[in-house]
Amino acid sequence: MKHILTKITLAAALVLGASGCNMDLRPYSVIDPENALETYADAEKLANGFNVHIRSLSSGSIIYSPELQSDLFHATSSFGNRNGLVYRWTFTSSEGIFESVYLACYSAIANANYFIEKAASIESRVAGDPAFADTWTEDELNLLKGHVSEAYFLRAYAYSILVDRYCDAYDEATAGNENTGVALSNRYNPTSDKTQYPGKTTLEASYDQIYSDLEAAQENIGLLRESAAGSLYVTEDVVKALRARVALARHDYAQAIQDATEVINSGKYELVSGTDALNQLWTNDNQAGEVLLQCAVALTTEMPSTNNANYLGYNYQNDVYSPDFVPEKWLVDLYDDTDYRRQVYFRSTPVQIGGITTQEPVLLFNKFPGNPALMTGESDYNYVNAPKPFRLAELYLIAAEAYLNSGMSNGVQEASRLLNELQGRRHSGWENVGYTQNQLAGEIADERVRELVGEGFRLSDLRRYGNGMTRTEGQLSSILYLPGSNTTELFRVNDGDYRFVWAIPQAEIDANPNMRQNPGYTNSNSNN
């Protein structure tokens, strides 16, 4: 098998969603790479693929796998081992989720690389070939620059996911060490020459690459569109939001504060409030001014079957719920009765597990119930909602945490103010709390859970906090898979456990002599 970083060809760019195909074969319908970008119409078609990549990187197992691995959910006794290896932390370097996420990221990077290089050649040909220059207008050349910015954003987004999943938490003392980062592949260069396969860089270099790409993304994205709430496409504010997220992980608190507060203070977005508005946001994908980027979804076939990991498991015919995973008791207890999110994010209902229906209700995770407009029939509970990878609420939390850790004289005051602003929009009758410095770290961490649960952040948050991970008491022990009703502490993973970082896929290790496996994992390659 060719290694993952170089088996992505232009066929993957133009026949999206075909990752299960033999990528060494080019379908008849695919344009040859040499001629795939000749006109602005070609550029538009290829740029539409960027949006499909962003949607796929913001949904499905990329999002729910790290949540299931964390301390947020318990498996029920009828979960059928779906997502079981990740949930139980018994995975190896051959885990399919690790390979599919890795492949999705590097597929996006390859397509971005191709576009960036071909666009540069277009500009060169326009400058030197008058006949070719006549096929492009000045407006089209400016729009092409904007699409190049989209390509840089896509590459940065994919690298940010790779760093988040396959690298350890940032530590200034070790971030410059060899093999702590990801493989940087910034040329479109499909090849069978293994000497050219990239190996890992340092973590510092990986973050530098993301910053560089985001700077390039910000340069001309405004030539395409202005930033606005509910955008279906990348805007300058979306670029800032990703940089703020990455900067927080990098402990670059000044950058995180700058980007997050610029978006917050822009006046273009507003936190919604009340159960009706939150229901519109999460059920009907009516973002109501709070979402910076909401991926376009017109057909259910355009999305993975669910963002849901069978959190609900509703059987329309029998009118029963049979979920694979239920929220932990501590999670549902984190929301008080005045919190609108408790009413929207959770559904109280008896459940049927192993053919037996419980007498008492259980709170099921209901954040992704499925947009009725995307259902193909009354009984089609497919749980498809438009992904919302960048929201204003996350930027409030990023800015609050960055202010707290910045050492600035007004850091505690600003962190408290931002946290109160968010909580005031999510609670009825909220009265501002004068949080102390000692209270803020725990309260910000709790608020990240309340707000971002189910969106793929929890595992990296746990790694960043350095507190390990513990699954504790379930809501109803009789329906849970392992270990039984008499155990209160179900599962503990200590801080520093190598499994907080996902393995480099075995297929990549086997084929790439320059790749090193992440510490703790064993494989057949002597480069390990």
Side-chain angles (χ1 to χ4, degrees):
M1 180 187 294
K2 286 186 179 180
H3 82 113
I4 288 172
L5 271 63
T6 58
K7 73 178 182 178
I8 311 299
T9 71
L10 191 60
L14 300 182
V15 186
L16 295 160
S19 59
C21 303
N22 180 354
M23 299 246 182
D24 296 326
L25 301 177
R26 185 174 300 121
Y28 294 115
S29 61
V30 174
I31 303 170
D32 187 273
E34 294 303 315
N35 302 311
L37 181 47
E38 293 288 314
T39 67
Y40 181 67
D42 295 336
E44 280 192 308
K45 291 175 183 177
L46 290 172
N48 282 337
F50 302 158
N51 303 315
V52 178
H53 273 300
I54 292 170
R55 186 173 64 199
S56 69
L57 293 176
S58 306
S59 59
S61 61
I62 288 182
I63 302 303
Y64 64 67
S65 292
E67 301 291 90
L68 299 181
Q69 189 180 342
S70 77
D71 55 354
L72 297 175
F73 298 96
H74 282 303
T76 66
S77 57
S78 64
F79 85 124
N81 204 37
R82 287 174 287 272
N83 300 290
L85 296 180
V86 171
Y87 171 73
R88 298 196 308 273
W89 294 61
T90 56
F91 43 75
T92 67
S93 59
S94 296
E95 168 58 46
I97 289 172
F98 299 168
E99 181 168 351
S100 65
V101 173
Y102 201 81
L103 177 61
C105 288
Y106 279 109
S107 174
I109 290 166
N111 286 298
N113 290 342
Y114 174 84
F115 192 94
I116 291 167
E117 291 174 16
K118 291 297 289 185
S121 72
I122 293 291
E123 293 181 353
S124 177
R125 289 175 65 188
V126 165
D129 183 347
F132 182 75
D134 287 342
T135 66
W136 286 78
T137 68
E138 184 176 351
D139 285 345
E140 287 174 340
L141 289 170
N142 282 332
L143 292 173
L144 179 66
K145 292 178 182 178
H147 290 309
V148 170
S149 286
E150 288 183 310
Y152 277 113
F153 175 86
L154 174 61
R155 193 166 75 180
Y157 188 36
Y159 277 137
S160 75
I161 294 170
L162 290 166
V163 167
D164 181 71
R165 302 290 194 271
Y166 300 92
C167 298
D168 210 341
Y170 184 83
D171 183 339
E172 187 175 1
T174 59
N177 293 352
E178 293 184 1
N179 299 315
T180 54
V182 300
L184 298 178
S185 179
N186 294 337
R187 292 179 54 225
Y188 182 76
N189 184 34
T191 179
S192 58
D193 181 358
K194 292 186 177 182
T195 64
Q196 296 188 40
Y197 293 176
K200 292 181 182 178
T201 58
T202 68
L203 185 57
E204 199 71 67
S206 300
Y207 276 112
D208 284 344
Q209 181 64 56
I210 296 171
Y211 271 35
S212 176
D213 283 348
L214 289 175
E215 183 177 355
Q218 190 171 355
E219 183 176 358
N220 289 314
I221 195 68
L223 295 175
L224 288 177
R225 62 191 69 92
E226 296 294 325
S227 298
S231 176
L232 301 178
Y233 306 99
V234 176
T235 66
E236 184 175 3
D237 284 348
V238 173
V239 175
K240 292 177 182 178
L242 177 56
R243 189 165 51 211
R245 181 186 296 174
V246 172
L248 181 68
R250 195 183 191 177
H251 302 173
D252 185 357
Y253 300 124
Q255 186 69 60
I257 291 168
Q258 176 181 320
D259 283 319
T261 55
E262 282 183 6
V263 176
I264 291 169
N265 296 332
S266 69
K268 299 171 185 174
Y269 315 94
E270 183 179 6
L271 294 167
V272 301
S273 190
T275 56
D276 289 343
L278 282 173
N279 267 317
Q280 285 293 316
L281 174 65
W282 291 108
T283 300
N284 299 316
D285 299 325
N286 180 354
Q287 48 73 37
E290 179 167 328
V291 178
L292 280 68
L293 174 63
Q294 179 168 283
C295 301
V297 182
L299 303 170
T300 57
T301 53
E302 293 178 334
M303 285 291 295
S305 60
T306 180
N307 286 334
N308 195 295
N310 204 29
Y311 294 126
L312 293 169
Y314 180 64
N315 184 309
Y316 175 81
Q317 183 176 2
N318 297 323
D319 192 26
V320 295
Y321 291 85
S322 299
D324 285 349
F325 296 92
V326 295
E328 284 204 23
K329 186 176 185 299
W330 76 267
L331 172 58
V332 297
D333 288 347
L334 203 58
Y335 300 82
D336 63 34
D337 291 337
T338 69
D339 196 322
Y340 302 125
R341 294 167 297 192
R342 181 181 177 91
Q343 302 170 56
V344 175
Y345 291 3
F346 303 96
R347 175 185 292 271
S348 179
T349 178
V351 297
Q352 187 178 93
I353 304 296
I356 300 174
T357 302
T358 61
Q359 296 297 311
E360 55 187 294
V362 176
L363 284 176
L364 305 185
F365 188 54
N366 192 51
K367 198 172 189 179
F368 310 112
N371 187 335
L374 296 173
M375 292 172 55
T376 57
E378 184 180 21
S379 61
D380 178 23
Y381 283 82
N382 52 24
Y383 310 119
V384 173
N385 286 99
K388 304 165 184 63
F390 297 98
R391 296 194 295 117
L392 184 64
E394 183 199 355
L395 293 176
Y396 270 86
L397 292 162
I398 288 172
E401 186 173 337
Y403 267 120
L404 177 63
N405 294 316
S406 68
M408 297 169 62
S409 59
N410 65 338
V412 172
Q413 177 184 350
E414 285 299 294
S416 181
R417 178 185 66 81
L418 288 160
L419 192 59
N420 272 285
E421 284 186 17
L422 174 59
Q423 291 174 321
R425 299 294 291 172
R426 298 305 201 228
H427 291 255
S428 62
W430 181 261
E431 296 184 5
N432 281 358
V433 178
Y435 292 113
T436 66
Q437 183 170 0
N438 290 336
Q439 292 172 321
L440 274 170
E443 189 60 29
I444 291 171
D446 284 349
E447 193 62 23
R448 283 186 66 88
V449 174
R450 295 185 189 104
E451 183 60 40
L452 303 176
V453 56
E455 297 181 56
F457 295 100
R458 182 59 175 170
L459 187 67
S460 54
D461 282 355
L462 289 171
R463 191 166 61 237
R464 187 170 76 257
Y465 301 149
N467 295 329
M469 191 281 284
T470 304
R471 295 196 186 112
T472 54
E473 183 181 0
Q475 293 186 64
L476 188 62
S477 59
S478 62
I479 67 171
L480 300 182
Y481 166 84
L482 284 180
S485 58
N486 295 325
T487 303
T488 56
E489 185 169 296
L490 299 183
F491 190 75
R492 170 71 185 173
V493 181
N494 292 326
D495 175 43
D497 190 292
Y498 71 92
R499 293 168 296 177
F500 272 104
V501 178
W502 286 2
I504 303 299
Q506 187 65 42
E508 180 69 11
I509 295 294
D510 289 343
N512 183 356
N514 300 317
M515 183 58 66
R516 299 295 185 269
Q517 183 55 273
N518 284 331
Y521 294 98
T522 59
N523 52 63
S524 59
N525 192 320
S526 61
N527 294 323
N528 173 15

